[in-house]
Amino acid sequence: MTYIPEGDVYVFPRYLAGADWCGDAGFVPMKHWPTVHLEDGPCQMLITSPDQRIRIGWYGDDFDVYKISASEDASSPTRWSATFNDAFPAEIVAAITTALERDWDARKDHEPFITAPSPYWATRVQPLLDAGWKTQRFPGSVTLGAPGRSSRADGPFVEITAPDGTAGVSIDVGSEDLDEETVLLWAGPRGWNRAEARFTSRTPAHLIAATAQALLDPTPVLRYRDHLAPALAAMAQLTPLTPPKPPAPTPLDIQRAQRRPPAITTRSVPRWSTATRPPATAAPPAGRSASR
């Protein structure tokens, strides 16, 4: 799989870039894993670890376009899952797929991609806390996510937001359901253009933290200006890929340039120094008297 970013503007911060409509950036870390392209059904492409315990599916026509899961073995039920919607930048999805590829490759003594998550919610979002994002606690009963999603934080609820309020994390810290979606990373305005990533309770904390860390990456990403949702474009900082050319001179500019007066030139004029006196002028020679 070869991935070449395309676009005419750089978008910063990257979590406001929205989708790139192909999703390839999220699959680059495991491009050497087995890949199956599916013609029927909502899943259009499936990439699995060589032992089929980690699965990354691409659902290009759905609201949630990335669906990632892991199991203890190829035939076991899903242990945890993570979903990323169609407004979530693929460049940030690459953070968790990179961590998964690294976990699977280093599984000789342990298997971090199915390890039990930390009981402390802060370990999941420590990069954001270290960056000074604001933390608030709520009693619960708060609806999470975009319109049409029924997920709720019924128990104690923690909200962590960026200093400018354009991104954050919502954590249900009271759920005891191991299959419940308890962590929501979001970016952008409320509505259909809001980027969302959801993780179930048993998702290893370091994988969520890796995704959170990617939110802080200051590197902008390429997008086509015309493809950006207006709500995202209004919140993001856009820098053209190619600086605009200076405007061509108008006929009036040309006339003004031609009418400029000639430059004043100077010529060297000898001047006597104030420290010396000029030489005395020689008197004319006295004429001889006429002979008589």
Side-chain angles (χ1 to χ4, degrees), residues 6-9 11 17-20 89-91 221-225 228:
E6 295 183 3
D8 54 18
V9 293
V11 182
D20 64 353
E91 294 85 352
V221 297
L222 271 175
R223 291 293 186 270
Y224 285 106
R225 177 64 178 84
L228 276 175

Side-chain angles (χ1 to χ4, degrees), residues 198-263:
R198 297 170 177 272
F199 303 86
T200 56
S201 299
R202 288 188 289 185
T203 305
H206 73 282
L207 296 178
I208 302 176
T211 312
Q213 179 68 55
L215 295 178
L216 303 174
D217 189 336
T219 308
V221 297
L222 271 175
R223 291 293 186 270
Y224 285 106
R225 177 64 178 84
D226 292 343
H227 295 172
L228 276 175
L232 292 177
M235 300 176 71
Q237 175 182 327
L238 307 181
T239 304
L241 175 63
T242 303
K245 296 181 179 180
T250 66
L252 182 59
D253 293 332
I254 297 175
Q255 291 179 9
R256 287 173 177 172
Q258 293 173 343
R259 291 174 183 173
R260 289 177 182 172

